[in-house]
Structures are given as C-alpha cells and as structure tokens.
Amino acid sequence: MGANYYLDFEDLFIVGWKAIARSATGTSHQEQTIPCQDCGHYRIFNDVIVGAVADGAGSAKYSQIGSELAVKTALKYLSRISEYLQKRKGFWQRFSQPLSQIEAKKLFAKTVNQVIVELNKQAANKGYSVNDLACTLLVFVATPDWVAAMQIGDGFMVVHSQNSEYQLLFEPDKGEFFNETTFVTSANALEEMQVQVISGKQEFICASTDGLEKVAIRLSDWKPHAPFFKPFEEYLRETDNPEDDEKYVIDFLNSERLNSRTDDDKTLLLCLFE
C-alpha cells in the first residue's frame, strides 16, 4: 500500500491507497479449456494510483496475450510519467489540481498509442495479425483530490465519495450489434475513447470487465447497483493489506451464485483511499 504517515497526539495512523486486482475464468471458457482473457493490475506511487483493466476479444486468437500486454504497457507508461512528475519541483502543488479534459485526453491518447505500438511489435515478432491481440482497455489515474479515467470498449468503472452515490463514469461501448464493441486494435479506437476527469476526493474506485456488468450495473439506465459495491468498499476498509487477504474476492469471483448469472471471464480491480 502506498501511504503517508501522520503523527497525532494519541496515535500513529496511515493515509494512502490500498488495492487488489483479481481475475477468474468464466465457466464457458472452463468448459472449452480456453484461458482467462481478462487482465487487471495497478501500481501505487505515494498518493497516486494508476490502474488498468483489459478484456481480450473472444474472437481474437491470442487475446489473453493482448490484454496482459495492454495492461502492462499502460501501467508502465503511466508509472513512468508519475515517477517523472514527482521528481519535479512543485509536483505536489501542481498535481493537487485536476487535469483538464484536454490534458487528460492527451495523456490517455499517448498511453493508447504506446499500447498499440507494443501490440504491433508483439504481432510482428510472432508472425500473426495485430487483430489476434484485440482487447478492450480501461485506465485511470487517481490522487486524493481527483480521478482521470478513460475507456475503450465495454466493461465499467465506478467511483464513490463519502457524500455521494456510486457513480458510473462511462456507459459501456456496445456498438450497433449484440456482443459488439470497440477494441484498442480497432481503427477508430482513439475516436471512440471516452475520457472523464472527476474533481473531489473519490475514496473508492472499482474497474471491471463486462463479465460483471449484469450483476453490478442496472442496464436499464446504467446506474451502479449499490449493494454490489458496498461490501467490497467495506472489505477494503476492514483489510490492512488486501493483496495478502484475497479470499473474499477470490471466493466471490468463483462462487456458484455468480457463475449462475454470468459465464464470462470476470475481473475486479478495487481501490480505496483512506
């Protein structure tokens, strides 16, 4: 967990981000002996957390490689930017102010372009089409004062602050036809990229692939289903180090109750600032 330590008169307490990212193979993929095509991960730098989630296209031959490479590349690029900024004089004063919409679009466009470069390199080195690596991509950068996020394709990202309801940042891109969406490898990926900057302290962030949309989001009006998210937020508050206490998340992702409602791969990236 990335943290700052503050000495009070009575005790020592910790302020910072804590997070966990886990994926589970859907029952349909288990039956067909197809590997999990989801990927999610994060990195923490002091009070800044960067996260990414990707879902490999079911029609793409090596989409599990594509999703892993997309997440790894996005985090590597954004982590490099974060490390660079934190070494600059006046970083904390500058970074306490939210990015503008234009700044966020530029940052995420560069991130996506870097992902595309790496996917093309992988395809060229292995001798297959870049479309064999097709995947969706959700990325965010969060500080104690704001969240900047982007999404290409379906999946969802939900945030929550103390004095508001759970908020869905983007409506998933479902395309014109059933089971259709935009991928990072699509020609119109940057045109379809959704970007949003949220000002104010967002204590809880959840990013996920579309395997959990049916149970987490009310599809009639795209509103987050609060009873889905609240237990995860409480779990993070009660857990000192989620990465060492993963049973709650793993058991949920593999539960019969959940698998009776979705047979797709499932990924949860959960973050809390306290």
Side-chain angles (χ1 to χ4, degrees):
M1 178 178 75
N4 289 328
Y5 294 80
Y6 294 89
L7 186 62
D8 202 351
F9 289 108
E10 297 183 354
D11 58 357
L12 186 71
F13 62 94
I14 302 173
V15 175
W17 289 102
K18 50 186 174 180
I20 184 171
R22 292 293 184 273
S23 299
T25 307
T27 53
S28 62
H29 283 187
Q30 292 176 12
E31 292 169 359
Q32 301 173 61
T33 62
I34 297 173
C36 181
Q37 296 169 331
D38 279 6
C39 185
H41 202 48
Y42 64 91
R43 293 189 68 182
I44 298 173
F45 301 91
N46 293 320
D47 285 345
V48 178
I49 184 169
V50 295
V53 166
D55 181 2
S59 59
K61 191 173 182 180
Y62 303 109
S63 64
Q64 75 275 13
I65 298 174
S67 61
E68 290 176 9
L69 184 56
V71 167
K72 178 181 177 181
T73 303
L75 292 184
K76 183 178 179 180
Y77 179 77
L78 290 172
S79 297
R80 194 165 66 239
I81 295 298
S82 297
E83 289 176 316
Y84 167 73
L85 287 173
Q86 291 182 68
K87 292 176 183 177
R88 293 178 60 185
K89 186 177 180 180
F91 164 77
W92 293 114
Q93 291 81 5
R94 169 67 185 87
F95 220 51
S96 65
Q97 300 300 313
L99 296 178
S100 69
Q101 187 75 6
I102 292 176
E103 288 173 326
K105 282 186 176 181
K106 287 182 178 178
L107 174 64
F108 291 129
K110 289 179 179 179
T111 304
V112 172
N113 280 327
Q114 192 64 42
V115 169
I116 293 171
V117 166
E118 293 303 316
L119 291 177
N120 275 294
K121 284 182 182 178
Q122 175 74 14
N125 289 339
K126 297 297 182 179
Y128 43 71
S129 167
V130 71
N131 290 324
D132 289 332
L133 300 169
C135 62
T136 63
L137 183 62
L138 294 79
V139 177
F140 65 85
V141 178
T143 79
D145 303 298
W146 53 266
V147 177
M150 85 83 178
Q151 180 164 331
I152 294 175
D154 51 22
F156 61 86
M157 201 177 307
V158 167
V159 298
H160 186 226
S161 60
Q162 192 170 17
N163 300 314
S164 68
E165 297 179 345
Y166 291 94
Q167 178 182 355
L168 179 70
L169 296 189
F170 311 104
E171 286 191 15
D173 176 7
K174 294 297 184 182
E176 294 182 37
F177 304 102
F178 176 74
N179 222 16
E180 180 187 56
T181 192
T182 304
F183 300 111
V184 174
T185 52
S186 302
N188 62 339
L190 287 175
E191 295 173 16
E192 297 297 323
M193 179 179 71
Q194 302 181 77
V195 174
Q196 189 170 169
V197 179
I198 303 292
S199 299
K201 183 179 179 181
Q202 303 298 321
E203 296 176 342
F204 175 74
I205 304 171
C206 174
S208 179
T209 53
D210 70 329
L212 292 172
E213 278 179 6
K214 294 177 184 177
V215 295
I217 308 297
R218 197 165 62 198
L219 304 183
S220 59
D221 58 5
W222 296 113
K223 295 290 185 182
H225 185 50
F228 175 88
F229 296 99
K230 189 174 181 180
F232 288 117
E233 187 170 356
E234 292 174 349
Y235 151 76
L236 288 176
R237 293 190 187 282
E238 295 169 359
T239 306
D240 291 333
N241 189 346
E243 287 289 352
D244 293 335
D245 188 13
E246 64 175 12
K247 187 175 186 300
Y248 181 79
V249 176
I250 294 296
D251 286 353
F252 168 78
L253 291 174
N254 291 309
S255 66
E256 290 184 14
R257 183 179 179 185
L258 179 61
N259 286 333
S260 69
R261 300 188 62 184
T262 175
D263 63 357
D264 199 0
D265 294 339
K266 305 167 289 287
T267 290
L268 274 174
L269 169 50
L270 305 167
C271 315
L272 182 80
F273 185 85
E274 64 176 10

